[in-house]
Amino acid sequence: MKQEFADSPRSTVGLEWEIMLADPDSGDLVGRAPELLTALEDESAPERHTVTGELLTNTIEVTSGIGDSVEHAIGDIAAAIAAVRARTDPAGIELLSAGSHPFAQWFDQRVTDKSRYHKLIERTQWWGRNMMIWGIHVHIGVEDRDKVMPIIGALSAYLPHLQALTSSSPFWAGERTGYASNRALVFQQLPTAGLPWPMRDWSDFERYLDDMVRTGVMADATEVRWDIRPAPRWGTIEVRACDGLSTLTEMAAIAALVQVLVEHLSRRLDAGETLPTMPPWFHRENKWRAARYGLEARVIVHADGTQRLIREHVSELLSELSPVAEELHCGAEFAGVRDILGSGASYERQLRVADAADGDLHEVVHHLIREFRSGPGVPVV
């Protein structure tokens, strides 16, 4: 099955962000996206950004245009959020973002009335109805299709780092899960989701698509829901492993880290190197460790079994790759990853709020609402 890969300028950036709609008093989710989207979609039509619906009516997704830098793409996202707020503030709706809502229940949520969503729920049943998860997607342009699968294979070694830095789903349906990212383990229950299969080249990917379409597993490449996947329509590699980020500054930091990692690996291919890979069982273990322990996880970083604490390994990566960030004009955003290491990822901040409030998860939601408006560092209570 031939799969074309669109022309895309190298290391361009595209961003997607799923945002929750909540009642400002109770903090519970509200399924009011349908009443907002007609106007928001019309208003965004002439803009670089877009505003669209998602699986559940409690969610709005904002996306950037193709950015020649992280700053460019983040500017689009900021404009989209401002447009959304111009509609939600008068309507008495608050916005927040995390990998999961701390206490909302799946059976209270409504599915958006679109055939693709009804088809997904019909097939996946209970697990599909439980997809009360929110994430970000980072697209990075790749100028040569032959680079795509080698980069994905090597980039998989950094998935636990990205997952840990963005982990923001320590609570689920009112319970403290003991995981930094419960979302990571819930999402992989969907068919075609989870870690990418090891593939050497683009023809391997085409054979995979042929098998999946021929056997009725999926209709086309858009239904590949891997944690990192090719996005042939856009000519990008798309990182989908991250929980929903709680602030715009964190979004910028993670976008810069992904852009720098992809560019770094692309340069190694240009230099004639064969990119390193690890056995899939190491990647699977790493994903679980990052979901469970977040930034305190020790993960396998080499095929020989070498292990490192994520927090320390990320710090070393920042020092090693900062020259690449400067060349990509995202040095300031890239440095923001250190701020996450210093102040804690969202899951850590949420847990601190819950502990200070004697476990009251309504306080956690209001904390997330404040952070989405003002950024990290707002008062805990």
Side-chain angles (χ1 to χ4, degrees), residues 310-357:
I310 285 182
R311 195 181 294 273
E312 294 175 356
H313 199 225
V314 168
S315 183
E316 292 172 8
L317 280 172
L318 294 176
S319 297
E320 176 189 349
L321 298 180
S322 60
V324 180
E326 293 298 330
E327 291 174 28
L328 292 174
H329 307 292
C330 66
E333 295 88 353
F334 189 69
V337 178
R338 287 201 188 277
D339 294 334
I340 299 175
L341 296 178
S343 63
S346 180
Y347 78 92
E348 295 175 289
R349 304 195 301 273
Q350 290 180 53
L351 291 170
R352 289 199 294 265
V353 171
D355 290 342

Side-chain angles (χ1 to χ4, degrees), residues 23 41 58-59 77 190 192 194 196 205 224 231 277 279 288 293 300 304 310 316 331 335 347:
D23 180 88
E41 289 171 350
N58 57 38
T59 302
I77 294 295
L190 287 184
T192 78
F205 182 62
V224 177
T277 59
W288 184 87
Y293 299 108
I300 304 159
D304 66 8
I310 285 182
E316 292 172 8
Y347 78 92

Side-chain angles (χ1 to χ4, degrees), residues 37-52 83:
L37 282 171
T38 298
L40 284 168
E41 289 171 350
D42 288 345
E43 290 166 1
S44 69
E47 306 293 340
R48 280 177 47 82
H49 66 261
T50 63
V51 182
T52 58

Side-chain angles (χ1 to χ4, degrees), residues 53-196:
E54 252 295 336
L55 172 66
L56 299 176
T57 60
N58 57 38
T59 302
I60 282 177
E61 182 178 67
V62 296
T63 65
S64 74
I66 299 170
D68 55 20
S69 67
V70 170
E71 181 182 25
H72 197 190
I74 286 292
D76 290 345
I77 294 295
I81 291 170
V84 172
R85 282 209 185 277
R87 292 284 174 178
T88 55
D89 282 355
I93 300 170
E94 273 294 355
L95 307 177
L96 68 149
S97 180
S100 64
H101 188 282
F103 62 80
Q105 300 288 341
W106 69 269
F107 45 77
D108 291 328
Q109 315 310 315
R110 288 176 292 164
V111 175
T112 298
D113 189 18
K114 287 189 176 181
S115 59
R116 62 185 289 235
Y117 296 138
H118 291 307
K119 181 179 177 182
L120 174 66
I121 297 300
E122 172 60 28
R123 185 178 186 210
T124 58
Q125 292 293 303
W126 189 86
W127 275 114
R129 291 289 287 123
N130 266 274
M131 287 295 128
M132 284 185 42
I133 54 176
W134 293 264
I136 66 156
H137 301 163
V138 180
H139 290 259
I140 305 297
V142 180
E143 81 285 6
D144 183 349
R145 188 181 72 175
D146 290 340
K147 287 183 170 183
V148 171
M149 299 318 297
I151 290 176
I152 286 176
L155 191 59
S156 295
Y158 300 101
L159 276 180
H161 306 68
L162 294 166
Q163 180 65 71
L165 286 162
T166 63
S167 287
S168 60
S169 48
F171 303 105
W172 188 267
E175 295 190 28
R176 186 166 178 158
T177 66
Y179 284 77
S181 175
N182 199 57
R183 170 193 169 275
L185 303 184
V186 171
F187 187 49
Q188 69 183 12
Q189 304 307 318
L190 287 184
T192 78
L195 293 165

